[in-house]
Amino acid sequence: MKILSIETSCDETAVSIVEATGGVQSPSFRVLGNALNSQIAIHSEYGGVFPMLAKREHAKNLPILLKDVLIQANEYKEKKTETSEEMWQKIENILTKEIGLYENIKNIFSTIEKPDIDMIAVTSGPGLTPALWVGISCAQALGVLWDIHVMPINHMEGHIVSVLMENEDVRPVEFPALALLISGGHTEIVSIKAWGSYTVIGQTRDDAVGEAFDKVARMLGLPYPGGPEISQLAKMAREKNIPHTVTLPRPMLHSQDLDFSFSGLKTAVLYHIRDNGTPTEEEKMDIAREFEDAVTEVLIKKTEKALEDTGAKILIVAGGVIANTNIREACKHMEKKYTGLVVKTPTQKLSTDNALMIAGAAYIESEIKPFHKKNITAVGNLKLS
Ligand code: KG4
Ligand code: ZN
């Protein structure tokens, strides 16, 4: 099955074409085209992602990326006959709320043959609603233009499925499995009974872990996104053996549930800076290391509790924050502590938002649930179920 996937939930515009085979038992993916445009440089000027700015950038870049992946997949072929005015009217109606998108789509696709694609997959949530709508509207327009089924995909399922793609670790996922999802918008422990059957058994009560990284980085005067910056400073503190002078709390470490809270940890950094003055470069490294250690300790403790509660033998750790080496290594280390446990993480490239994982999730969904046409809506707080 050939899947064209679109991801616009936050500040990455991404498109891919993937050929998937093997079914849910042994899924296998061949990437035919893949493109991504990060808006990080634009948003970093403002210290965070601005939804309306993200929407504008998605609308500008999405048609260009679509053309790019179709060319990569050798599916961008001139056609002889004109698309009817009636069809363009339908498409204009779908794209009315997306400024500029209709013109861009018409310019790029009016003279192009229907590509050899079996399904279009698009992220419908969770994420920034205006940003999600750009991807959804575009997917629906192309679905009508080419008469191809469009499937809405949960971004978090995409992160889970990302471990199956372009990964040297081909050990199979057996159930029950567990997923620790750590991103800029989410911190969740998910129990997985089978592909497509998810129950969130623990989550953050306030900030997501990536959000806490970003906010602490801002307090230290570092640019957005702060995760990689903090991680770099923490690494330097360890390499240089900077003395430990800061102690931060490990929120909810001993609570009996599987929930997290990172807002107190972030506030503790704020108070530390308020009480001790602007930190020197060495002090910044010390704070970054202590913050990273505190986050890692809580994530690992709760995940271990979830492993013990559920008896899962597979742990999937995914989401942008798994790009953090310290957290990644601590997660991998659980394999040594729990005999028989397999810890699966995506490749570095597939850790942060991308379209390949949306295609992967679409393949899994299409294998386990029958196709049914429904109106797709952007749901900012879409839950995994
Ligand atoms: O999954 P993702 O790309 O987007 C969302 O769906 O949120 O995750 C982005 C988050 C940001 O908060 C970013 O700071 C964080 O992942 N992140 C990191 C690292 N690289 C990215 N956090 C800690 N350490 C990193 N190396
Ligand atoms: Zn994400």
Side-chain angles (χ1 to χ4, degrees):
M1 171 182 278
K2 275 194 203 165
I3 303 165
L4 169 68
S5 63
I6 299 176
E7 155 66 39
T8 62
S9 67
C10 192
D11 57 352
E12 247 95 43
T13 319
V15 182
S16 78
I17 298 178
V18 168
E19 182 160 32
T21 51
V24 278
Q25 299 307 328
S26 51
S28 168
F29 303 96
R30 194 159 71 95
V31 179
L32 304 178
N34 186 29
L36 185 143
N37 177 73
S38 172
Q39 303 170 6
I40 282 178
I42 294 167
H43 295 289
S44 70
E45 274 185 44
Y46 305 95
V49 183
F50 268 71
M52 294 319 279
L53 191 55
K55 176 188 169 84
R56 193 192 72 192
E57 287 300 305
H58 286 311
K60 191 172 85 191
N61 294 313
L62 186 52
I64 302 168
L65 297 192
L66 277 161
K67 180 177 176 181
D68 189 15
V69 293
L70 286 166
I71 293 172
Q72 287 177 37
N74 203 18
E75 291 291 347
Y76 194 79
K77 295 175 192 143
E78 291 283 329
K79 70 172 176 180
K80 313 276 174 303
T81 53
E82 286 268 311
T83 305
S84 71
E85 267 318 303
E86 194 190 344
M87 175 60 88
W88 283 121
Q89 192 55 57
K90 269 194 205 169
I91 289 174
E92 191 172 10
N93 290 342
I94 296 171
L95 298 174
T96 43
K97 286 195 215 121
E98 311 302 332
I99 299 152
L101 196 51
Y102 172 68
E103 285 73 23
N104 288 344
I105 295 275
K106 196 169 181 183
N107 277 343
I108 293 179
F109 297 102
S110 61
T111 58
I112 296 309
E113 285 289 353
K114 172 181 175 173
D116 178 18
I117 300 282
D118 302 295
M119 177 166 70
I120 300 174
V122 63
T123 306
S124 61
L128 305 169
T129 310
L132 288 163
W133 269 120
V134 179
I136 293 172
S137 305
C138 188
Q140 285 181 318
L142 293 178
V144 167
L145 179 65
W146 293 329
D147 191 22
I148 300 176
H149 178 81
V150 182
M151 181 181 274
I153 292 297
N154 184 310
H155 180 85
M156 302 316 286
E157 184 176 22
H159 276 303
I160 293 175
V161 174
S162 69
V163 300
L164 301 178
M165 311 187 79
E166 298 204 300
N167 205 336
E168 279 176 12
D169 178 2
V170 291
R171 293 173 295 177
V173 174
E174 281 160 17
F175 301 101
L178 203 66
L180 171 67
L181 301 180
I182 42 177
S183 72
H186 290 82
T187 306
E188 288 174 353
I189 299 180
V190 183
S191 161
I192 312 175
K193 279 203 207 75
W195 285 121
S197 172
Y198 309 107
T199 311
V200 177
I201 55 174
Q203 60 196 310
T204 181
R205 296 191 179 171
D206 38 59
D207 291 351
V209 60
E211 190 182 354
F213 266 97
D214 295 337
K215 287 179 177 169
V216 166
R218 205 170 166 175
M219 291 174 203
L220 297 179
L222 303 167
Y224 173 86
E229 302 282 335
I230 297 266
S231 147
Q232 184 57 26
L233 279 185
K235 184 169 165 240
M236 283 159 74
R238 289 187 192 100
E239 279 169 5
K240 295 181 178 220
N241 228 345
I242 306 272
H244 289 262
T245 58
V246 191
T247 310
L248 296 172
R250 271 65 175 154
M252 297 185 72
L253 189 67
H254 300 295
S255 71
Q256 288 310 301
D257 52 29
L258 298 171
D259 285 349
F260 303 93
S261 164
F262 294 106
S263 117
L265 179 56
K266 170 197 74 187
T267 311
V269 175
L270 186 72
Y271 288 167
H272 177 83
I273 296 172
R274 184 194 64 187
D275 297 343
N276 295 276
T278 310
T280 62
E281 286 312 304
E282 281 211 348
E283 282 163 351
K284 282 184 187 175
M285 290 177 206
D286 186 21
I287 294 170
R289 174 184 53 194
E290 175 66 4
F291 173 77
E292 200 177 76
D293 282 346
V295 168
T296 309
E297 201 177 321
V298 180
L299 289 175
I300 298 299
K301 178 86 190 282
K302 294 289 168 131
T303 307
E304 289 185 350
K305 178 162 168 37
L307 285 172
E308 286 158 18
D309 288 356
T310 60
K313 288 280 175 245
I314 299 277
L315 170 66
I316 293 169
V317 194
V321 179
I322 196 59
N324 182 288
T325 316
N326 204 48
I327 296 174
R328 187 181 274 262
E329 281 173 4
C331 288
K332 284 277 175 202
H333 187 75
M334 278 188 259
E335 283 185 348
K336 295 206 170 67
K337 185 163 171 190
Y338 294 89
T339 324
L341 177 70
V342 169
V343 179
K344 290 177 86 73
T345 55
T347 59
Q348 200 80 13
K349 185 180 122 198
L350 290 186
S351 297
T352 44
D353 292 349
N354 63 84
L356 295 177
M357 69 185 199
I358 302 305
Y363 181 59
I364 299 291
E365 284 288 322
S366 72
E367 287 287 303
I368 55 177
K369 289 178 196 152
F371 266 19
H372 58 97
K373 229 183 168 68
K374 54 181 170 186
N375 261 345
I376 303 175
T377 324
V379 183
N381 64 351
L382 185 65
K383 304 278 180 276
L384 263 179
S385 61

